[in-house]
Amino acid sequence: MKNSKKIMTALLAVSVLAACGQKEEEQKAEPVEQQEAVIDVSAEAEQFKSLLAGEMDSFVTDTELLATAINEGNLEDAQKLYPLVTMYYERLQPLAPSFQELDEKINGDIVEGKETDTTGFQRIAYGLFGEKKTAGYEGIAEELVADVKSLQADFATIDVSETNVLASAVTMFQDMANNRLTSPSIAGNEVYAVKAQTDAAEDLMEVFVPRVSTESAEAASNAITKLNEIVAYYEVGKEDYVNYNLFTTKQEQELITAVTNVEAALQQMNESIK
């Protein structure tokens, strides 16, 4: 787990502070007005965004490599690059509500019967893994590069002040468990996606540990560790994973359960924000 030491250190610090402050809180306890408080997590959203900013250059470069493979008609290379390039975007998903227009262009869903109306990753997957060809997808690949470059150019100024990135992550894992892992894509890159989203969850743990209950943070850390262990089992090379379409029903259920546990743990963290 890439941030495990930072997370555990933060958890220990929070535990110590909680123990020291318990008596003081007991002495100062006063009735609280019954009204819903608006919790501001804009600073955490900015911090999470800053953790991802360093990946934007590589995201653009690797998207260009994917486009080059498509333009040169190299189907095998394009198929290998596709799941790796999409991992960058999976890590950005908790921020997606802050750039909805670009999100739709970069990763909009394909509607059956209207495949040609879609752009971005899903349309390219349809070509590479559905039709198993690159011809006719050159322009779509170039458009994807342009959209990713637009995201890179706008990234520093994207307004995330209204986005609860922790709540967005809960929705992200919920969609993974209930939709994506139950209806695998033609690309079969779901394990790559789970790994990338788990990386994002680790970054969120680092950001939110000081704001949430120790119990919820520990539960999330344990759930993420378990999910990472399962994903690691399916690693077949550096950042290469078994195609999800080859999973047995038992393997699918194990992964779905682990993803669901992370979703629930992040939800508990979100509910305990103070």
Side-chain angles (χ1 to χ4, degrees):
M1 189 184 298
K2 66 174 187 174
N3 293 325
S4 59
K5 289 184 178 179
K6 289 183 180 179
I7 292 171
M8 293 310 296
T9 300
L11 279 172
L12 180 60
V14 170
S15 297
V16 172
L17 287 172
C20 291
Q22 185 175 3
K23 289 186 178 180
E24 183 178 347
E25 283 191 11
E26 289 174 353
Q27 293 171 356
K28 294 183 177 180
E30 295 179 358
V32 179
E33 290 184 13
Q34 296 298 316
Q35 60 182 22
E36 185 176 345
V38 177
I39 299 176
D40 183 2
V41 292
S42 58
E44 284 73 24
E46 281 291 349
Q47 188 178 345
F48 177 67
K49 187 175 81 168
S50 70
L51 290 174
L52 296 173
E55 293 191 359
M56 294 306 297
D57 287 346
S58 296
F59 185 18
V60 170
T61 298
D62 288 357
T63 305
E64 289 176 330
L65 287 175
L66 174 62
T68 297
I70 291 172
N71 288 331
E72 293 178 352
N74 194 328
L75 178 63
E76 184 178 354
D77 279 0
Q79 288 177 330
K80 288 180 179 178
L81 283 167
Y82 177 84
L84 296 171
V85 176
T86 59
M87 290 179 79
Y88 290 105
Y89 203 67
E90 297 289 353
R91 287 189 281 269
L92 290 170
Q93 285 309 292
L95 292 172
S98 301
F99 52 88
Q100 292 182 1
E101 185 175 341
L102 266 178
D103 181 47
E104 183 62 29
K105 294 180 69 177
I106 294 172
N107 201 42
D109 291 330
I110 282 184
V111 177
E112 188 174 353
K114 297 182 178 180
E115 290 83 3
T116 57
D117 295 343
T118 311
T119 60
F121 283 121
Q122 301 306 316
R123 179 72 191 286
I124 287 175
Y126 179 79
L128 298 181
F129 301 96
E131 298 185 314
K132 291 183 170 55
K133 68 178 187 179
T134 58
Y137 287 87
E138 298 88 350
I140 296 165
E142 291 302 329
E143 186 175 356
L144 175 62
V145 170
D147 290 335
V148 172
K149 284 184 175 180
S150 292
L151 180 59
Q152 178 195 36
D154 296 343
F155 199 73
T157 57
I158 288 174
D159 181 9
V160 296
S161 61
E162 300 298 321
T163 302
N164 181 340
V165 287
L166 189 53
S168 293
V170 172
T171 301
M172 174 180 77
F173 278 98
Q174 185 178 59
D175 179 62
M176 179 62 70
N178 297 341
N179 299 314
R180 297 178 66 179
L181 293 180
T182 57
S183 301
S185 65
I186 53 176
N189 64 316
E190 281 73 21
V191 184
Y192 293 82
V194 170
K195 172 56 180 172
Q197 291 187 3
T198 307
D199 288 344
E202 290 183 277
D203 285 338
L204 288 167
M205 281 283 298
E206 181 180 341
V207 169
F208 277 94
V209 159
R211 293 283 306 273
V212 301
S213 71
T214 303
E215 294 78 11
S216 68
E218 288 176 346
S221 180
N222 291 335
I224 289 170
T225 296
K226 177 61 178 177
L227 180 53
N228 267 320
E229 289 172 353
I230 292 172
V231 169
Y233 177 80
Y234 296 105
E235 190 170 8
V236 293
K238 186 177 181 181
E239 285 201 318
D240 275 317
Y241 300 92
V242 174
N243 189 303
Y244 187 66
N245 289 313
L246 300 177
F247 273 38
T248 65
T249 301
K250 182 179 179 180
Q251 289 172 321
E252 288 179 2
Q253 190 54 56
E254 181 185 41
L255 184 58
I256 290 170
T257 298
V259 169
T260 300
N261 289 341
V262 172
E263 173 206 332
L266 293 179
Q267 178 62 37
Q268 289 176 5
M269 281 182 60
N270 186 52
E271 291 173 355
S272 75
I273 293 175
K274 52 187 181 291

